[in-house]
Amino acid sequence: MRITVTVNGEQHTGDVEPRLLLVHFLRDELGLTGTHWGCDTSNCGVCTVWLDGTPVKSCTVLAVMADGHEVRTVEGLAHGAELDPVQQGFIACHGLQCGFCTPGMMMTARWLLDHNADPSEEDIREAISGQMCRCTGYENIVRSVRWAAEHGGGRGTADAGTEPAPGREEPVPGREEVRA
């Protein structure tokens, strides 16, 4: 099938098999290897990207489902050479160890801060609850997100399109429904 997907602001058109997962399209077809591939069962969350401003686990979305939509990956967080405050926070507070879960955690953290500029520790833990980290024990990840919130990383720093549609409840990252 022929699809056109806007990824990190750049339009990509190509032919894909109908069964190709979005994570494989991003990694194998577009070379965006920042999105990691973990479990293929939606349990770990390392493959989290945004689809039209909503966090989704890209191992549960077919590439054809993204046709005509906008995808944002971890590569799209930085603005040129300037790191996003979430990325800076993960560096400053050692929010990563092996780095495998980091892209998904960062995408979820960015979404959270765009919707809650001053999240509590409980808010942060709820937001990342759909993702697994086997190394950090989550303490430094929570600190990293708080650091980002305290250093200008709140609402308004991300691209447009992060607001939910009127009357639509905001999804909790990692617990969203897969949509076409």
Side-chain angles (χ1 to χ4, degrees):
M1 296 182 71
R2 190 151 191 84
I3 64 170
T4 300
V5 182
T6 302
V7 181
N8 300 328
E10 185 178 327
Q11 196 171 67
H12 299 273
T13 300
D15 293 319
V16 299
E17 289 187 32
R19 65 182 180 196
L20 183 70
L21 295 173
L22 181 58
V23 66
H24 297 302
F25 176 73
L26 296 170
R27 291 180 59 81
D28 302 337
E29 303 296 321
L30 302 184
L32 296 172
T33 57
T35 301
H36 291 166
W37 172 43
C39 65
D40 266 344
T41 61
S42 182
N43 287 321
C44 71
V46 303
C47 65
T48 300
V49 299
W50 292 5
L51 181 60
D52 292 335
T54 301
V56 297
K57 294 177 181 177
S58 60
C59 73
T60 63
V61 177
L62 297 171
V64 296
M65 294 168 74
D67 184 32
H69 295 276
E70 293 188 24
V71 174
R72 188 172 185 200
T73 69
V74 70
E75 289 92 345
L77 285 182
H79 300 283
E82 183 182 340
L83 294 179
D84 184 273
V86 169
Q87 293 169 309
Q88 294 172 352
F90 271 70
I91 293 168
C93 298
H94 309 287
L96 56 96
Q97 284 183 13
C98 79
F100 195 68
C101 72
T102 304
M105 289 287 187
M106 286 183 176
M107 294 306 294
T108 300
R110 173 76 273 145
W111 181 91
L112 172 65
L113 293 176
D114 285 348
H115 292 82
N116 181 350
D118 188 27
S120 67
E121 180 176 331
E122 183 178 318
D123 294 333
I124 296 167
R125 289 184 181 281
E126 173 69 17
I128 65 173
S129 67
Q131 299 175 301
M132 292 173 59
C133 176
R134 297 175 191 251
C135 300
T136 67
Y138 301 95
E139 292 300 319
N140 289 347
I141 293 171
V142 172
R143 280 191 208 107
S144 299
V145 178
R146 281 298 316 146
W147 186 98
E150 293 165 3
H151 290 86
R155 184 183 295 263
T157 59
D159 297 339
T162 61
E163 293 297 324
R168 181 175 167 209
E169 184 179 315
E170 292 183 5
V172 174
R175 295 190 185 162
E176 72 288 332
E177 292 180 24
V178 176
R179 51 191 182 92

